[in-house]
């Protein structure tokens, strides 16, 4: 999944298992974020995690963006 320059709001839980997520330059807002064996590149803009964050394997790249909890 590639976010590009768009904003994406997920009002529920986001569970990514395997594969690749590329955040692009947009904003990603999620309630709870679970990453399981996924190659995750955060947006270079902003990643807002409103609830819980769980990481179990894979990789997390900050992409020079802001992560807010």
């Amino acid at each position: 999944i590639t976010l590009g320059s768009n904003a994406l709001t997920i009002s529920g839980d986001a569970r990514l298992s395997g594969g690749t997520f590329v955040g692009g330059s947009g904003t990603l807002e999620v309630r709870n974020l679970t990453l399981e064996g996924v190659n995750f590149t955060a947006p270079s803009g902003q990643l807002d995690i409103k609830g819980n964050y769980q990481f179990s394997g894979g990789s997390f790249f900050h992409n020079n963006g802001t992560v807010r909890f």
Side-chain angles (χ1 to χ4, degrees), residues 10 29-33 46 48-52 68-69:
I10 301 172
E29 181 179 313
V30 298
R31 172 77 52 210
N32 298 307
L33 179 61
Q46 192 161 297
D48 288 329
I49 302 171
K50 302 293 186 181
N52 298 314
R68 295 188 329 175
F69 292 92

Side-chain angles (χ1 to χ4, degrees), residues 3-9 23-29 43-48:
L3 185 60
S5 61
N6 298 308
L8 176 63
T9 299
S25 61
T27 297
L28 174 60
E29 181 179 313
S44 62
Q46 192 161 297
L47 170 61
D48 288 329

Side-chain angles (χ1 to χ4, degrees), residues 3-66:
L3 185 60
S5 61
N6 298 308
L8 176 63
T9 299
I10 301 172
S11 56
D13 298 340
R15 181 182 199 136
L16 303 175
S17 182
T20 301
F21 178 89
V22 179
S25 61
T27 297
L28 174 60
E29 181 179 313
V30 298
R31 172 77 52 210
N32 298 307
L33 179 61
T34 301
L35 303 176
E36 300 172 324
V38 65
N39 293 319
F40 183 88
T41 301
S44 62
Q46 192 161 297
L47 170 61
D48 288 329
I49 302 171
K50 302 293 186 181
N52 298 314
Y53 170 72
Q54 183 176 356
F55 177 83
S56 59
S59 57
F60 181 94
F61 301 101
H62 60 77
N63 201 16
N64 294 317
T66 301

